[in-house]
Amino acid sequence: DTGVSQDPRHKITKRGQNVTFRCDPISEHNRLYWYRQTLGQGPEFLTYFQNEAQLEKSRLLSDRFSAERPKGSFSTLEIQRTEQGDSAMYLCASSWGGTVQETQYFGPGTRLLVL
Amino acid sequence: GQQLNQSPQSMFIQEGEDVSMNCTSSSIFNTWLWYKQDPGEGPVLLIALYKAGELTSNGRLTAQFGITRKDSFLNISASIPSDVGIYFCAELNNNDMRFGAGTRLTVKP
């Protein structure tokens, strides 16, 4: 078990460009979550998947954001037409949703800087 | 909506001292979690609490789920330099997890 992995670890982009991040969850986990974390704050929920179905989205997830988990394994988070306010750490977490008391395990995050 | 208040915001302690931090919520939750985050890394789960009144230890760490289900504390005994980092409490209710703003711990050798 290698844990949750995220790629890339760092991304610098110019305003207006599109970026895509990848998350590979723990292999037996059926739930996958995306969070955003800005400096000095705790992670904020963006969206989550159970298998390939996207079941919940936060109001933080604007139209420029889209997430997919096509085969119920890895997930991608795309941000279109990036803005400076998108600069943050994007965290992925996974869990096994077979019980009520599941806990989420986080990846190392992708730090995005929009210039 | 519910609010999750974590305190203190930061702590500066001497190596060997004990540390205590806590979280309170405006709502009742089913699960309390404590995470530690090192710079540039994702949060790492330290302790999970599932029942009101539950007291759980993980090495030098001890956490308790308050009887009212609206609060939790985390204690670190005999701190060491590698305890440095940001500690987050989080509430989990079904699939909804919300984090506190974190307690930044600095340990002076």
Side-chain angles (χ1 to χ4, degrees), chain A residues 9 31 33 35 37 40-45 48 50 56 89 91 100-109 111, chain B residues 30-31 33 35 37 39-45 48 50-51 88 92 94-102 104:
Chain A
R9 294 291 308 273
R31 289 186 176 166
Y33 304 77
Y35 292 82
Q37 185 178 25
Q41 298 296 320
E44 296 173 291
F45 170 78
Y48 101 93
Q50 175 145 331
E56 191 173 339
M89 173 83 95
L91 292 161
V100 173
Q101 295 172 338
E102 63 180 280
T103 53
Q104 300 175 21
Y105 297 87
F106 284 82
R111 183 172 294 281
Chain B
N30 294 328
T31 302
L33 305 165
Y35 286 87
Q37 187 173 27
E41 299 293 331
V44 174
L45 182 66
Y50 302 111
K51 298 179 185 176
F88 290 100
L92 180 63
N94 295 322
N95 302 308
D96 186 9
M97 186 155 77
R98 296 179 187 270
F99 286 81
R104 182 180 294 275

Side-chain angles (χ1 to χ4, degrees), chain A residues 8-50:
Chain A
R9 294 291 308 273
H10 304 274
K11 179 70 178 179
I12 300 174
T13 191
K14 291 183 179 178
R15 190 176 52 185
Q17 298 293 306
N18 299 344
V19 294
T20 300
F21 310 140
R22 176 179 170 125
C23 171
D24 287 88
I26 293 171
S27 57
E28 63 268 26
H29 285 180
N30 59 353
R31 289 186 176 166
L32 186 149
Y33 304 77
W34 284 100
Y35 292 82
R36 183 179 72 183
Q37 185 178 25
T38 53
L39 205 59
Q41 298 296 320
E44 296 173 291
F45 170 78
L46 292 178
T47 187
Y48 101 93
F49 293 82
Q50 175 145 331

